[in-house]
Every structure is written in structure tokens, then in C-alpha cells.
Amino acid sequence: MNRSLYTFLAGGMLLIVGASCKKESLLTYKSDNNIYFNFIEGTNPATNDLGRHQDTLDITFSFNDASVTDTIINIPVAVTGEASAENRNFNLMVDPASTAKAGTNYELPSSFVVRAGLTQDTVRIRFKRTPELKTTVLSLLLNLADNDQFKANLLYRNRSPQSQTTPIYSTDTVRMKTFKITVGDMLAAGPYWPSYYEYSFGTFSEKKVRLMNQIVGMPLSFWSKPTTTAQERSDVAYYGSFVARYLSDQAYAGNTIFEADGITPMKMGNRFP
């Protein structure tokens, strides 16, 4: 349940994978009015992939230009029961365990509403790019609670919408009334580096990836997703081999490139010993 989506910002706005194909939803006819978080990532209409439910989201400013000072994200919420002809308020609270500070690190609306005619709406959050994010990752933990319009009795659901019709899918669950967001401004390996990049690029370091960006033009957001195409895998091999040769040439010329500690020689992955 602690698995998270590592999300990168571009142009000051959060890029969230759109959910344009058909998605599994909870009962909306003659059921109690419950409200729950309904964040889904990874949908792909071309392959009929319904995506995966998430209860955590990691965002970073580290790939943005210094002129980017904030970003807006929208966290979807959905309700059971029928749509209403009127706006309905729901109760959302910030957990005291959060380390992000209201007003300083983020701004939330003064009230939260599911608009008339809808069974899904969003919570709009503005995150600020504060100096402390260069050294600290902050968290914002949101909790849904009961009010006179909605209950918040739904606790868990399966991560995969396809699990209800295809038992082979994982039974891993996500929380429905709690959502955690972390925000930082530091370059980090993220969840895909070990599986898709480490064999070519070696151990992650900020100095290494910035060097790769400088000498071969690798985008600083390059490793933000799995390599799913032949071109992406070819790019990994190209970047890795180019920088491995560069490091070797520099060492041969008596200019060994070291990691930030000034002691450890920089090296690429086992693919390029």
C-alpha cells in the first residue's frame, strides 16, 4: 500500500496521465452517498489498460526552470449514489502528521464541493517552490471525513480496476479515504531507475545525471517513466555508452571524474564496465 507514483512537473504544471479509457467505478445507483479518492494513473486506451488506483503521489520541482515558483495539481474524488441537482460540500481535513505547512508550502480551497450533476470532482492544491525543498521532502496527508452530505466509510479497494474481472491481477490494495502527497526539489532516482536504468547508468547520483545532461543532452526527466519502446531502450544504451566512453577518456587523460564526495570515481552501469 506504500507503492507510489513518481511524478514530474513541466512548465509549472503537473503532468498527470489522463484517464480516457473506460474505468471501473463503484456503485452509483441506490447506494449510500460515500465519498472517496479516485486517483488513477497509467491508463492506455490503445492497449485497453485501465490503469492503477493510487493513494500516494510524489512530485518534484527539480526538472523545472528556476522561474517556476509553484504548481497546481488536481486530486480526483468520486462519490457513490446518484448525482445531485445541487452542489454538495464534502469534508476534507489535513492530517496533523503532515510536514508541509499551510500557506507556506501549499494552499487549499476554503471549501470542497462536488458540483451539481457530477459523481466525480477534484481537490485543487497549489504547491509552492520554497527553498527548504532543496534539502527536505515535505508531505501533505489528506483525510476525507463524514459530513451531512457524504459518508467516508469506504476504506480500501484493489489497486487494479481489472482485478474484479481478471483474477490474475494483483490483490494489492490502496486506501480510499486517505491520500498522501510528497513534494521536493531534489533530483532523485525515483521508482524506475533500479529496473530500467541502473544496468546502463549505474548507481544514481545527481552529479552524474547533470553531467549526462551537459555532455550528451539527456533530459533531466528522462528516467521519470519505464522504457517501453525500442527507441527509449536505444536512447538508454546511447546515453550510457557515450558517457562511459567520456569518463574513460577523461581518466586516461589524467582527469578522473569523481562523484560529489571527491573520492569515488564516477562510473556507469555493469553494461559498460
Side-chain angles (χ1 to χ4, degrees):
M1 187 159 38
N2 293 326
R3 197 178 307 164
S4 62
L5 167 67
Y6 197 72
T7 305
F8 301 90
L9 308 176
M13 296 299 292
L14 182 70
L15 299 179
I16 297 180
V17 179
S20 58
C21 60
K22 183 179 179 181
K23 299 185 290 291
E24 168 249 8
S25 60
L26 301 185
L27 292 177
T28 59
Y29 181 69
K30 292 184 177 179
S31 59
D32 292 336
N33 293 320
N34 270 278
I35 190 160
Y36 59 96
F37 289 110
N38 196 39
F39 190 98
I40 302 175
E41 61 89 18
T43 58
N44 187 345
T47 60
N48 199 33
D49 188 345
L50 302 183
R52 288 154 296 283
H53 296 290
Q54 298 288 345
D55 56 12
T56 56
L57 178 67
D58 301 330
I59 64 175
T60 179
F61 285 98
S62 59
F63 306 124
N64 293 95
D65 187 83
S67 62
V68 176
T69 59
D70 63 4
T71 190
I72 303 294
I73 68 168
N74 291 310
I75 304 299
V77 295
V79 301
T80 59
E82 297 178 315
S84 172
E86 299 178 349
N87 291 344
R88 292 179 289 176
N89 292 320
F90 63 93
N91 192 2
L92 184 146
M93 300 182 297
V94 175
D95 195 290
S98 302
T99 56
K101 297 179 178 62
T104 301
N105 305 118
Y106 69 90
E107 293 178 356
L108 282 169
S110 58
S111 61
F112 306 97
V113 178
V114 177
R115 288 166 291 175
L118 300 180
T119 57
Q120 179 162 304
D121 220 310
T122 57
V123 177
R124 185 177 185 270
I125 310 171
R126 175 176 175 247
F127 281 99
K128 301 179 181 181
R129 191 177 192 177
T130 56
E132 64 191 305
L133 297 179
K134 285 289 186 183
T135 57
T136 306
V137 175
L138 300 178
S139 64
L140 177 62
L141 188 61
L142 304 174
N143 295 324
L144 294 169
D146 295 354
N147 68 355
D148 59 346
Q149 303 280 343
F150 297 105
K151 299 294 185 182
N153 292 333
L154 304 177
L155 301 181
Y156 301 100
R157 75 187 311 172
N158 197 286
R159 186 177 296 277
S160 172
Q162 293 166 295
S163 63
Q164 292 189 357
T165 56
T166 311
I168 194 173
Y169 282 87
S170 169
T171 57
D172 187 19
T173 59
V174 296
R175 296 164 296 183
M176 299 175 69
K177 62 184 294 182
T178 299
F179 199 91
K180 181 179 181 180
I181 305 167
T182 63
V183 58
D185 198 5
M186 299 173 284
L187 285 176
Y192 304 118
W193 186 280
S195 299
Y196 297 93
Y197 301 96
E198 189 168 357
Y199 180 56
S200 293
F201 296 167
T203 303
F204 178 89
S205 76
E206 180 170 350
K207 183 176 181 179
K208 180 189 295 182
V209 297
R210 291 197 180 279
L211 178 66
M212 296 173 73
N213 171 258
Q214 293 167 7
I215 67 172
V216 74
M218 184 187 77
L220 287 176
S221 59
F222 181 70
W223 65 96
S224 65
K225 62 185 183 66
T227 54
T228 57
T229 68
Q231 182 61 54
E232 289 169 342
R233 291 187 287 271
S234 177
D235 289 343
V236 171
Y238 170 70
Y239 294 144
S241 63
F242 189 103
V243 177
R245 175 61 63 88
Y246 172 83
L247 295 175
S248 177
D249 289 347
Q250 291 296 306
Y252 183 79
N255 182 36
T256 300
I257 306 298
F258 294 98
E259 292 288 0
D261 62 8
I263 300 172
T264 307
M266 187 178 294
K267 61 180 294 186
M268 302 305 285
N270 294 333
R271 185 175 185 179
F272 307 108

